Amino acid sequence: LPIMGESIVTGDPAYIAEIIKNKHLIGGRGTRALRPLFGNDSLIILEGDAHQARRQLLAPFFKSSFVRQFDEVTQAVTLQSITHLRGQAVFSVATEVRKITLSVIIKLIFGELGTEKETQLASLVNQYCGSFHNPLNLFIKVFHINLGRLTPWGRLVKNRKALYRFIVNEIGLRKNAHYRDHTCLLDNLIHENRNTAAALHISSIFNEVLSLLLFGHDTTAVTMAWLFLHIYQHPDTHAQLVAATTDMQQVMNNLSQEKSTYLKSCIYESMRLSPVVVHLTRVAEQNTELRGQPVAKNSNVIPCVYLAQHNPDVFPAPYEYQPERFANGKEYHHSFFPFGFAARKCIGEQLALRQIQIIL
């Protein structure tokens, strides 16, 4: 493959099962191109024991019991958005949902910043995300030219520095404060930092906060853009959803009890049909094999989400939108993994699913 080199690409469930079990295929290394964005030591970049330790540190803040405290915030910001949109003939679902999900992830990480600071941070994040739109700027080093605002890379560097100043200043304020906000991730990271032999450097905290800010809102927004597209292309689905979500209290009760619902089936089927992350990457740290196929050291094994979720042997009529595939909580092991799998499964899965259901 261009850039990636020797690779095995598969969506076959038998191969996916073997990839998950093979201890010589490691994650993290395949995300090297993202290091200029998120540094060398954020959760998505780390490997092995370091990845596991960081995951254990962050995991409590993304469990259902923790993220449900942001349900009311999600509702309130969504209602503001709906009020703002009334009377507009055309708008971008992705843009509107990004505003909602960014507001929520900022509150999860920083707690109550106040309107002025939150607006400033949201603006800095949006500028960073808009540094460039062509992903080749990440993968091809010849594009890594810093001529200030004249080049995409220069804009990236400038916008990253602005975010660094904001976040590091916030870390400094909280380090010196006697009060600790138990409901926000940043305060807890700083507190844990004081009470562990493996304390995180301030740049490590920044890298982690930055990656959570970006991944914590953008992928959810894009997922919802696809979801609205599929729903509005199918009037029967739309009508059933309207009927199923008339009672908001019932929706929230179903969320709390983690019930299988038509709403959730619609979400999963959209994720199956239009995955935001279309492939994962594992790298062989030594010579190994997959179902008899030799895999050389340093070559790539790519579990392809798109191929797996469009496999006609598992999903008949794979390009049709059929929410009933997921009725009654039906699962498709090794064939449906929009959040990844095993030890590198997306840590924000519960937050994303709750937000999508409430916003929709």
Side-chain angles (χ1 to χ4, degrees):
L1 293 174
I3 301 173
M4 299 193 72
E6 189 75 16
S7 307
I8 292 177
V9 184
T10 180
D12 184 282
Y15 273 87
I16 301 297
E18 289 296 316
I19 290 169
I20 293 172
K21 288 191 293 184
N22 192 317
K23 294 180 181 178
H24 302 306
L25 298 175
I26 59 173
R29 208 163 296 179
T31 58
R32 280 177 175 170
L34 297 177
R35 292 185 181 187
L37 290 179
F38 306 120
N40 295 322
D41 60 350
S42 58
L43 183 67
I44 192 172
I45 304 294
L46 292 169
E47 302 173 9
D49 292 341
H51 174 270
Q52 199 58 32
R54 184 65 58 83
R55 190 178 181 90
Q56 288 176 358
L57 180 63
L58 297 173
F61 305 103
F62 292 94
K63 291 181 178 178
S64 291
S65 56
F66 186 85
V67 299
R68 68 180 52 169
Q69 67 182 302
F70 300 99
D71 290 351
E72 289 186 11
V73 173
T74 304
Q75 289 185 60
V77 181
T78 304
L79 287 170
Q80 288 175 9
S81 177
I82 291 169
T83 303
H84 169 71
L85 290 171
R86 282 188 178 131
Q88 292 191 34
V90 178
F91 62 90
S92 161
V93 168
T95 299
E96 291 303 319
V97 174
R98 272 193 184 98
K99 295 175 187 175
I100 300 167
T101 55
L102 180 55
S103 179
V104 174
I105 197 67
I106 286 174
K107 285 182 170 59
L108 187 150
I109 296 172
F110 294 90
E112 288 298 333
L113 279 174
T115 303
E116 186 177 341
K117 268 191 174 181
E118 184 175 325
T119 302
Q120 181 188 358
L121 178 55
S123 177
L124 291 172
V125 171
N126 288 328
Q127 287 171 22
Y128 190 54
C129 290
S131 297
F132 55 78
H133 299 288
N134 189 337
L136 290 178
N137 283 288
L138 279 177
F139 291 99
I140 301 178
K141 288 192 175 181
V142 72
F143 291 154
H144 296 188
I145 301 170
N146 184 1
L147 296 177
R149 296 181 181 180
L150 296 175
T151 58
W153 202 256
R155 292 193 293 272
L156 178 76
V157 171
K158 172 182 171 293
N159 292 333
R160 196 176 196 275
K161 285 180 179 177
L163 269 168
Y164 182 84
R165 286 193 297 270
F166 182 99
I167 294 170
V168 169
N169 180 66
E170 199 62 32
I171 291 171
L173 291 173
R174 291 158 193 254
K175 270 188 172 181
N176 298 323
H178 298 294
Y179 171 72
R180 173 189 172 194
D181 184 352
H182 290 266
T183 66
C184 84
L185 185 147
L186 184 58
D187 278 32
N188 283 279
L189 275 182
I190 294 168
H191 177 79
E192 290 299 322
N193 230 25
R194 293 169 177 159
N195 296 284
T196 176
L200 293 178
H201 189 272
I202 193 167
S203 64
S204 298
I205 297 178
F206 165 73
N207 289 337
E208 201 61 73
V209 167
L210 182 59
S211 65
L212 290 171
L213 271 174
L214 269 63
F215 282 109
H217 86 283
D218 192 67
T219 50
T220 305
V222 177
T223 297
M224 289 214 70
W226 283 111
L227 178 58
F228 274 96
L229 174 70
H230 295 309
I231 289 168
Y232 279 94
Q233 283 180 333
H234 298 84
D236 289 347
T237 299
H238 179 248
Q240 287 187 65
L241 271 177
V242 169
T245 56
T246 300
D247 185 347
M248 189 63 192
Q249 188 57 53
Q250 185 60 50
V251 172
M252 299 308 298
N253 290 341
N254 291 337
L255 258 177
S256 297
Q257 297 169 31
E258 299 186 1
K259 283 187 176 180
S260 173
T261 60
Y262 185 67
L263 173 59
K264 192 175 284 188
S265 295
C266 289
I267 295 166
Y268 283 151
E269 176 64 351
S270 180
M271 287 180 169
R272 181 198 69 79
L273 198 57
S274 306
V276 174
V277 177
V278 295
H279 74 264
L280 312 173
T281 305
R282 299 293 182 265
V283 178
E285 60 178 348
Q286 66 179 56
N287 292 338
T288 184
E289 64 173 45
L290 277 177
R291 297 177 63 78
Q293 171 73 39
V295 181
K297 182 180 178 179
N298 295 326
S299 60
N300 297 300
V301 174
I302 300 176
C304 184
V305 183
Y306 192 90
L307 287 177
Q309 295 180 180
H310 290 76
N311 184 346
D313 293 336
V314 180
F315 303 103
Y319 295 95
E320 293 182 10
Y321 183 72
Q322 299 177 2
E324 56 272 16
R325 297 183 206 269
F326 292 92
N328 302 315
K330 186 172 182 180
E331 297 181 356
Y332 298 90
H333 296 292
H334 308 138
S335 292
F336 178 72
F337 45 96
F339 291 100
F341 48 61
R344 299 193 72 89
K345 193 174 187 182
C346 174
I347 200 170
E349 178 181 8
Q350 294 302 318
L351 175 65
L353 286 174
R354 291 187 78 87
Q355 284 187 312
I356 291 169
Q357 291 176 81
I358 292 170
I359 293 168
L360 186 62

